[in-house]
Structures are given as structure tokens and as C-alpha cells.
Amino acid sequence: MRKQKIDFLLGLTCFGIMSVGIFDTAVAADDPGACATAKVISGEACKDLKIKFDLSQCKGGGSADAQVKCGSGIGSASADNGGGSYTVDIKETWGGTWAISGAVKFASSGSAAATAGTPAVAGAAPAAGPATPSGATTTFSGVARLRYDDNFAKATTGALHTNYTSLRIRPNLNIKVNPDVSVIVEPQYTKTFGAVAWVPSAAAVNTPTETVGNAAYTGDPITMNQAYLELKMDYGLSLQAGRMALRYGDQFILGSADWADNGRSFDALKFRYTQDKSYIDVIISKVIENNKTTNAPATGDDKDMNGIYASWFVNDNLKTLDAYYLYQYDQRSAASVPGADTSTNPRPSSFFGVQGLRFVTAFDNVGWKAELAQNLGSDGTSFIATGQKDKNDMLDTEVSYNVNDSMKTRVALQYFKGGQNWIEFYPTTAKQLGIVDVVGRRNLSGFGLHYTATFSERYAMDADYYSFKRTSTDATAYSLGGAIGTTAASTSDDVGQEIDLVGRFMASKSLTWSLGINIFQPGANIKDIQNATTADSGGRVSHYGYIMADVKF
């Protein structure tokens, strides 16, 4: 217990150190801009702002209307009264309203304030670099995340307790060679504080090596989250080729799994046809490349993930109508199809896919969205077991209502149902069915209640409740890692309930702090499984908490 408290305090201390300096610094008394003040007279959007400077206490006196210049989330307002030039930063707040940020600054003694550009505020917006001799320009941006996790996964894994601090940094370079050719490079550094490295080979194979305070350590690896070419062609066609994150819809089927330390990327070609707000993507992705040189069954071929995803914007009420067909094709070896006759089919293949429809509507303050999907493929393969080709659909639907526009308060009711043989594709987790992430969609039904509110430009919160039941008592409940217990252990359909509470503090346009407290209460089904597999009684609760800083630069 003492060690757990120390680990928790170390995590809090790490976050506290980072928080120093997030607030504005007071203007020094001898600042020549201290004589001036600025006030928003009217307008909310940047282009509509009218700002007036009070320069009565400054050299030249009087007042002046400001010239406003807008950037991406930041901008400036400047004025000149003949005795001097003055400027003040402006920024977009969380609620979308633009406001003055900080104190008025003295720009020059002449009449140069009217030509002052958008201030270079670190972390506020991507910075465009100078053109190269070839005419290319580079835009630099990125994200970083620091998170302390405390996870007590007792409900399904006994007394497993983990707590750790992790860091992820993703700078992004967008190199525009010309209007039709771009190169996107997004390296990624991820590290769990104090994590050991494992010797991969030789006599010391699988020996842990300290990565902190060890001069002999060769250094943490930096990987590529994204690195691809983007080519724009005529008639709305474009091509992205390389390593990329793929995110579609609510990421129930295909997502980037960004809650995980490393996230998910694909080596792929993505052809896109765009017309206005609609598009059609054709995806060709190589999951495993065997670089085969023979037709021998033991060598096998490759594993691919391909498909098509179409999304249409119909009108302001039917905002999104999606249809998709995605599949995996595995030809790696004869083992891909158990029992296959390799004498007549030396490279037996295993096919698995998903097809679905999705829509999003909005009518004034009421919204409705739904997604229906179904698995495809042959049973008796590495993907779909024998006799499990039916009952393999999934439904997720939600009705929402915007209660208060000024506070951006939203309430929603969600219903979900997964067939007892539903198989996940590449979903993003840790949100759609609860942050604790105890259950997956397979053989799961239930509902969720959601509440979101923005109390001011700095403070917001989410509150979510989920109720989980087995769709069929003929099969177990499932996590993403597999079955939870056995059908013999319980006849109850009550899997459990979860409550997620998340508070957010937007310290600046670039920095957001989040605090999450999330609890999974097992139902009778999991309690019965606990009683059958552990020495102590059932009913153990899983709880997961985190403190997180998200930085955009």
C-alpha cells in the first residue's frame, strides 16, 4: 500500500511540475504598453470583432478602433494614435467566441501597428516555414500527451493492479512540394517512465535492461505513426501511399486506437474520390508481407486488409450517410484454413470481412445516429469458427438532445447489441463501451446514458453510465481479448454496469488537462465466474483513474 501511494504521488508531482507557467504573466509596471487598454465592443467570430483601444493615458492620447487580423485560433488587434503603435493578442476560446488574450503591448513609436501580423504564439497553430528553392513549403504542428494511469482490473483478472506514467509525442511535418504533391511525416516517441528494454538475441536473450540512468543503454526507439505521399489528380481524385492512420465514422469498425500508447497505423494505398462534402475511399493495405519465393504451403503468402468506404453529405438534416465493405484476406499458410486439402489447394486462403451502413441526422436540437454491420466470410477458418457464421451482426444507435446552447449541454441515450458470433475488425476502444474497457461487443447488449456540459471556456465534463447484458445465455460475454469465463459458470445475463466521470480544464488553446474516474461494477454473470474461479467471493469492482495533459503545438 505504501508503494502504491508513493507511485500515485510521483505521478501527481510529475503533472504538477508541467502545470507551472500555464497562466498569463502580469505586465511589468515599466511596460510602455501598460498605459493602454483594449475592449471588445461587439462580435463573436473573429471576422466580426470590433475592438477599441483606450490610449488616453498614452503619448498622443485619445482612442482608436483596432485593425483585427485573424489566424488559425489566434490573431491580433492593433491601433495607432500617432504617438505610438499598440497591439494585443486575440484567441478563439473553447466555446468558439473570440476574446482578448493578455495585456496590450507597445509595438513601435511610429505608425506601424496597422501592419503588425498575427503574433507567433507557441503551440497555438501550425507554423508555415519558408519556401525551399524548389518551391516547397513546410507546415509544422503536432500533439503530445502525458498520462498517469491507475488501473485496478479486479472484475475479470483477479487482483491485477497497475499504475504508471506514460509520454507520447507526435510532431507532424506537412511538406507541400507543389499544389498537387505533399509529403506527410509524423514520427512518434512513446515511453512508459522506467520501463525496461529486453535483450532480443544472443546469450542474454529476454534479459531486462534498465533504460533510465544507464549509460550503456542505446536509447529509446522513435517510430513512424504516419509517413505517406499525397498526390492530387484531376476530377476530384487523390492518392495517399505509405503508413497512415485510418479512422471512419465512430471508429466502431476501423479506427486509430489512439487511447493506447502507440495507436494503430496501416501500410496502405488509399484512393479517394471527393465531390463537395462527400467522398469514396478505396483502401489497399498490406498487414503481413511474407515476400514469398515459392508456392510451398509452408511458406504461404500474405495477409491483406482491403475495402471501400463511401460517405455522403445529403443535406443539413441528413449530415452523413455511410456505406462500407472491408475485408481481410489471409494466405499465409495451410494453417489459415483448418482441415484444408493442401494437395489440391497449396495456398488455402482465409477470408473475413464486415459490411455496414451508418447515418447521422440533426433536426434543430435533436440528433440521431445509427450504425448496423454484419460479418462476412467462411466458417472453419482462423477468423470464423465452424458453425459460427450466423448471429454475427452489430447495432449501435444513439438519440441526443442539446439542452443548452450557451453551456453546450448535451444528453444522449445509446442502445447497442452484438450478436453472439460477432467478431471485431479494427475498432477504437476505451470510449464506445466504457473507458474501463472490460467488455467487447460480441454477445453484448445494453444501453448507455451520456451527459456532456461546457461550463465556461475553460471547464467541461462528461458523465456516462452503461448497463451490459449478454445477448444470448448460450454463449459467454467477451472482452476484446477473448471469452470472459464459461457458460457453465453462470446462467445470468447480467454482465455489469459502468460509470465514467471525466473533467476537463482548458488551461490554454494549446493545453488541456483531464481527470477521469471510472468504475465497473460486475453483474451476476461475472460474480458467478469469480466465485467459480477464485478463492475469495465475487463482486470485486474494477476501477480505473487517470490524469492527462494533452498539448497541441
Side-chain angles (χ1 to χ4, degrees):
M1 179 64 71
R2 177 182 179 89
K3 179 181 180 300
Q4 294 168 3
K5 289 182 177 179
I6 291 174
D7 288 343
F8 181 74
L9 290 173
L10 285 173
L12 289 178
T13 302
C14 181
F15 278 84
I17 291 172
M18 283 196 65
S19 66
V20 175
I22 64 176
F23 298 104
D24 294 333
T25 303
V27 178
D30 58 354
D31 185 347
C35 64
T37 60
K39 181 179 180 181
V40 175
I41 304 301
S42 64
E44 293 186 353
C46 187
K47 63 183 180 62
D48 299 326
L49 283 184
K50 294 186 183 299
I51 297 177
K52 183 176 286 291
F53 280 73
D54 181 357
L55 306 174
S56 59
Q57 303 301 314
C58 304
K59 181 180 178 180
S63 62
D65 293 330
Q67 178 181 359
V68 177
K69 292 194 174 183
C70 304
S72 177
I74 60 171
S76 67
S78 54
D80 191 328
N81 67 347
S85 300
Y86 301 85
T87 184
V88 69
D89 295 344
I90 58 174
K91 69 176 184 179
E92 184 181 9
T93 65
W94 206 354
T97 301
W98 283 70
I100 291 173
S101 174
V104 175
K105 293 170 284 187
F106 182 75
S108 68
S109 299
S111 298
T115 62
T118 300
V121 180
T132 65
S134 65
T137 58
T138 302
T139 301
F140 177 75
S141 61
V143 293
R145 183 181 78 189
L146 180 66
R147 190 173 75 205
Y148 173 78
D149 294 76
D150 190 280
N151 186 15
F152 216 154
K154 294 188 293 183
T156 57
T157 56
L160 177 62
H161 186 194
T162 58
N163 47 32
Y164 59 93
T165 301
S166 61
L167 173 69
R168 181 174 74 193
I169 300 176
R170 287 178 178 170
N172 183 286
L173 291 174
N174 187 332
I175 305 167
K176 187 174 287 293
V177 180
N178 58 50
D180 298 324
V181 180
S182 297
V183 179
I184 288 80
V185 181
E186 187 177 81
Q188 174 175 268
Y189 173 78
T190 61
K191 179 67 185 292
T192 297
F193 287 14
V196 298
W198 296 89
V199 177
S201 59
V205 63
N206 292 333
T207 300
T209 299
E210 294 182 358
T211 62
V212 178
N214 182 2
Y217 178 54
T218 57
D220 298 325
I222 295 179
T223 60
M224 282 292 172
N225 184 55
Q226 298 193 98
Y228 60 87
L229 305 178
E230 184 172 34
L231 311 176
K232 295 182 179 179
M233 296 168 273
D234 294 334
Y235 307 108
L237 297 173
S238 64
L239 167 66
Q240 292 181 353
R243 187 165 184 82
M244 66 193 72
L246 297 174
R247 308 177 184 92
Y248 290 97
D250 291 301
Q251 303 187 50
F252 295 157
I253 307 300
L254 182 56
S256 57
D258 271 332
W259 188 260
D261 290 341
N262 293 293
R264 178 189 293 134
S265 301
F266 291 86
D267 299 335
L269 300 176
K270 185 173 75 173
F271 297 89
R272 170 167 288 192
Y273 169 71
T274 304
Q275 185 177 49
D276 298 326
K277 298 180 181 179
S278 304
Y279 65 86
I280 299 175
D281 283 356
V282 176
I283 304 163
I284 303 173
S285 174
K286 184 68 64 176
V287 179
I288 296 177
E289 172 62 76
N290 271 328
N291 193 25
K292 71 178 184 67
T293 57
T294 176
N295 288 334
T299 303
D301 206 327
D302 302 336
K303 180 179 179 180
D304 302 319
M305 191 281 288
N306 306 322
I308 182 169
Y309 196 105
S311 180
W312 295 276
F313 173 84
V314 180
N315 54 46
D316 289 336
N317 296 127
L318 182 53
K319 293 183 173 295
T320 302
L321 178 61
D322 296 348
Y324 53 85
Y325 176 86
L326 305 164
Y327 68 91
Q328 292 188 69
Y329 194 48
D330 192 348
Q331 301 183 91
R332 286 175 293 169
S333 67
S336 296
V337 181
D341 183 0
T342 57
S343 63
T344 58
N345 186 9
R347 293 194 307 277
S349 60
S350 180
F351 172 82
F352 163 66
V354 58
Q355 61 184 357
L357 297 171
R358 173 179 178 268
F359 66 81
V360 179
T361 68
F363 300 92
D364 295 327
N365 289 329
V366 178
W368 178 33
K369 64 179 180 179
E371 184 163 357
L372 176 64
Q374 182 183 37
N375 290 143
L376 303 167
S378 302
D379 60 351
T381 69
S382 57
F383 290 115
I384 303 176
T386 301
Q388 294 187 359
K389 192 177 178 181
D390 59 351
K391 301 177 182 178
N392 56 1
D393 54 351
M394 180 279 290
L395 170 67
D396 195 298
T397 184
E398 179 186 280
V399 177
S400 62
Y401 179 71
N402 295 324
V403 180
N404 187 317
D405 289 337
S406 62
M407 289 182 56
K408 297 188 181 300
T409 304
R410 177 181 180 271
V411 293
L413 172 63
Q414 175 191 12
Y415 171 77
F416 47 85
K417 180 180 180 180
Q420 70 180 67
N421 296 325
W422 166 259
I423 300 176
E424 305 278 13
F425 201 66
Y426 289 101
T428 288
T429 58
K431 180 59 180 175
Q432 287 90 342
L433 294 176
I435 297 176
V436 183
D437 231 11
V438 173
V439 294
R441 288 189 179 274
R442 183 170 182 176
N443 199 35
L444 189 76
S445 299
F447 68 90
L449 300 174
H450 309 291
Y451 171 83
T452 300
T454 301
F455 303 110
S456 69
E457 65 180 48
R458 289 183 179 269
Y459 297 96
M461 72 164 290
D462 298 329
D464 303 285
Y465 168 80
Y466 298 90
S467 175
F468 304 115
K469 295 184 179 298
R470 285 193 289 171
T471 302
S472 170
T473 55
D474 292 334
T476 66
Y478 285 80
S479 68
L480 287 177
I484 300 175
T486 65
T487 54
S490 177
T491 59
S492 173
D493 66 348
D494 182 13
V495 177
Q497 300 82 40
E498 180 169 331
I499 296 177
D500 299 332
L501 299 175
V502 178
R504 297 189 301 275
F505 168 60
M506 187 173 182
S508 68
K509 187 69 177 177
S510 304
L511 172 62
T512 300
W513 291 90
S514 301
L515 171 66
I517 301 174
N518 316 285
I519 299 172
F520 178 87
Q521 172 68 52
N525 175 254
I526 291 182
K527 289 179 182 179
D528 291 343
I529 293 171
Q530 290 174 349
N531 288 329
T533 57
T534 61
D536 56 340
S537 62
R540 296 171 300 179
V541 176
S542 287
H543 55 78
Y544 169 58
Y546 66 90
I547 307 171
M548 181 169 65
D550 284 302
V551 178
K552 297 179 181 179
F553 56 91

